[in-house]
């Protein structure tokens, strides 16, 4: 329309100007509402000059109005670890972090890769270059010094299932919605880069409340499902002593309830792979423990490996879970159920069959068979408790975990760091409702500090109890300050044995010894008189009992940090066995040409 002319019908139909649109009709606020809609009501952030306006817009859309809360973290790696922990705390939930371009994104990418390996929908949001800089041949700071802004994107393409580069407002709505919905559908991380000059500009596409997400449900092919169930039922019903083993992919398949339904119906003993601990209720009447080859729960491996048929639901067989590929299993005896595929023995295989549908249908077709569990009952001998320590005797790890066991309840959640904590925490008997998390596939040391922050921020009804080695803690320690800032009452057991114990057992060397810290002093420095904090340094059983009583009693609302000093050689026999087998697998000479 020309100045001074009469408005035409086309002019009247034109979209409203930015000034005429509501203040909340911006890209940043739309993103906040979308994140809240899918359950990511806390966004873990680190500010940088490319994401500051975006953070303003996210902050403006408050949780009380259907928006999000920003949780500022000490670094980007920890922010993404926290998003990982947040996603774990909510069944099918989403975690989110927001960082700055390249220096922030490439710092976060290690944690995003871990979330990818564990099938967690983490949304990594990056404040990107100004939209005018694309194609300008300019060199920007926070880059590697060339006028190409795609380095970060190309890196994230390997560890995310979808990448959106939002550098214009016209298709920003579609790109953001596609990224978030893809994260939900694939249960994998996604990457969203948003140009730094766009988040606060109103646009017509954001002027109305967005259409709620509708994700088309995945469905099984009914013919394949029926054929798979019929074949599997025939396979299992003719076996003499079959067993069930739950694996970590039951989580992404949303099949944990169906697995328990099958276990209730068939009478088989029930075991879990180590990375599936917590996905199957351990109070189940036929639960026999963790199947982990040579380092299994006592009597569990004997029952699984002597079975003439075993159904594995969602397994991952890598060098860690297979103890250096030493499992005594035979393919022809196995039914392997993946999230959307079933393989029976050496064949046949059935695709387009969802795990939860298959397990649910199979439960109605199996004959009751308790033979393998009867065998387990005959050979099972309950483990005794370790003897109490003598007065002043140095604390032993098995005595530590005897007391940890008594702390657990349905309102607890256990987070186990990579290392000796893997093996000690596997021995814990989880009460009904007790959460359990660890990162076995990726095994990134330091993961548990950020994950504890994120899990506790999501699961307000749980008290998180974390077990972290001194070597792992040194990688990500500073995020304890964020826990204090947000008033979390986690209990952190810092197990100080003077180095990288898990590496010692795989391959020892002087590089596995680290500088000792005054760990309680570090946490007290983080506390700095702000918030509620309790620390203790324990060397004996008496001191441990006092610290636990203090953390559960007068300091139940405080963040409790208990440094447990143990001898460097006080490692679990399971770690020793596992380490020697993994070392042997890693040391195999090259195959002959």
């Amino acid at each position: 329309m020309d100045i001074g002319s009469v408005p035409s019908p086309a002019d009247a139909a034109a979209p409203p100007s930015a000034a005429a649109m509501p203040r909340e009709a911006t890209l940043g606020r739309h993103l906040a509402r979308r994140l809240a809609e899918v359950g990511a009501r806390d966004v873990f952030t680190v500010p940088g000059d490319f994401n500051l306006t975006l953070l303003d817009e996210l902050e403006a859309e408050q949780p009380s109005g259907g928006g999000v809360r920003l949780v500022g973290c000490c670094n980007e790696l920890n922010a993404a670890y926290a998003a990982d922990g947040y996603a774990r705390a909510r069944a099918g939930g989403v975690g989110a972090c927001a960082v700055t371009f390249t220096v922030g994104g490439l710092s976060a990418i290690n944690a995003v890769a871990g979330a990818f390996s564990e099938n967690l929908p983490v949304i990594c949001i990056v404040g990107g270059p100004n939209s005018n800089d694309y194609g300008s041949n300019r060199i920007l700071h926070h880059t590697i010094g060339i006028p190409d802004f795609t380095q970060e994107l190309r890196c994230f393409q390997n560890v995310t299932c979808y990448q959106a580069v939002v550098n214009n407002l016209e298709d920003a709505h579609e790109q953001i919605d596609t990224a978030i919905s893809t994260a939900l559908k694939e249960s994998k991380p996604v990457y969203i880069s948003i140009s730094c000059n766009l988040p606060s500009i109103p646009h017509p596409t954001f002027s109305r409340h967005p259409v709620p997400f509708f994700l088309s449900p995945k469905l099984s092919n009914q013919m394949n499902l029926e054929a798979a169930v019929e074949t599997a039922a025939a396979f299992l019903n003719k076996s003499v002593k079959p067993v069930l083993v739950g694996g970590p992919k039951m989580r992404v398949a949303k099949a944990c309830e169906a697995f328990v339904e099958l276990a209730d119906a068939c009478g088989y003993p029930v075991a879990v792979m180590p990375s599936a601990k917590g996905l199957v209720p351990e109070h189940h009447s036929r639960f026999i423990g963790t199947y982990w080859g040579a380092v299994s729960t006592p009597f569990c491996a004997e029952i699984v490996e002597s079975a003439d048929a075993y159904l594995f639901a969602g397994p991952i067989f890598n060098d860690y879970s297979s103890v250096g590929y030493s499992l005594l299993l035979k393919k022809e005896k196995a039914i392997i159920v993946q999230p959307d595929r079933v393989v029976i023995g050496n064949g046949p295989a059935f695709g387009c069959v969802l795990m939860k549908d298959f397990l649910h249908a199979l439960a109605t077709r199996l004959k009751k068979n308790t033979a393998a569990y009867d065998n387990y009952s005959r050979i099972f001998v309950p483990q005794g408790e370790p003897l109490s320590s003598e007065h002043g005797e140095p604390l032993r790890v098995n005595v530590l975990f005897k007391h940890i066991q008594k702390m657990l309840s349905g309102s607890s959640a256990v987070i186990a760091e990579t290392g000796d904590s893997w093996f000690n925490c596997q021995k814990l008997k989880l009460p009904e409702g007790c959460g359990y998390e660890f990162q076995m596939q990726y095994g990134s040391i330091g993961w548990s500090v950020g994950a504890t922050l994120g899990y506790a921020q999501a699961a307000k009804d749980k008290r998180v109890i974390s077990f972290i080695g001194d070597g792992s803690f040194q990688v990500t320690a500073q995020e304890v300050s964020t826990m204090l800032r947000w008033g979390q009452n986690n209990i952190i057991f810092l197990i100080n044995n003077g180095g990288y114990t898990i590496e010692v057992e795989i391959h020892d060397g002087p590089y596995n010894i680290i500088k000792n810290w005054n760990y309680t002093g570090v946490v007290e420095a983080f506390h700095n008189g702000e918030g509620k904090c309790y620390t203790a340094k324990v060397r004996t059983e008496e001191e441990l009992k006092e610290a636990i009583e203090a953390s559960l009693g007068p300091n139940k609302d405080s963040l409790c940090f208990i440094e447990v000093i143990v001898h460097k050689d006080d490692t679990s026999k399971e770690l020793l066995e596992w380490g020697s087998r993994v070392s042997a697998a890693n040391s195999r000479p090259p195959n002959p040409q």
Side-chain angles (χ1 to χ4, degrees), residues 140 152 264 335 363 409 419 476 482:
L140 294 180
E152 180 183 74
D264 290 339
I335 297 177
S409 70
T476 51
T482 310

Side-chain angles (χ1 to χ4, degrees), residues 471-550:
S472 296
F473 186 73
Q474 289 195 9
V475 179
T476 51
Q478 61 269 57
E479 225 54 58
V480 172
S481 70
T482 310
M483 300 177 200
L484 286 164
R485 183 180 181 184
W486 285 87
Q488 295 185 355
N489 67 339
N490 313 320
I491 304 175
I492 297 174
F493 286 92
L494 186 286
I495 302 174
N496 185 351
N497 53 15
Y500 297 118
T501 302
I502 193 168
E503 311 296 0
V504 168
E505 301 308 331
I506 295 174
H507 185 99
D508 199 7
Y511 33 75
N512 290 325
I513 300 171
I514 62 175
K515 169 73 173 68
N516 192 41
W517 290 1
N518 177 0
Y519 292 98
T520 54
V522 168
V523 172
E524 286 161 6
F526 291 157
H527 176 219
N528 196 28
E530 298 175 1
K532 297 179 179 179
C533 182
Y534 166 78
T535 65
K537 194 185 297 279
V538 304
R539 294 179 173 84
T540 66
E541 185 175 12
E542 293 94 335
E543 292 174 345
L544 173 68
K545 290 164 70 175
E546 289 177 11
I548 290 174
E549 288 171 6

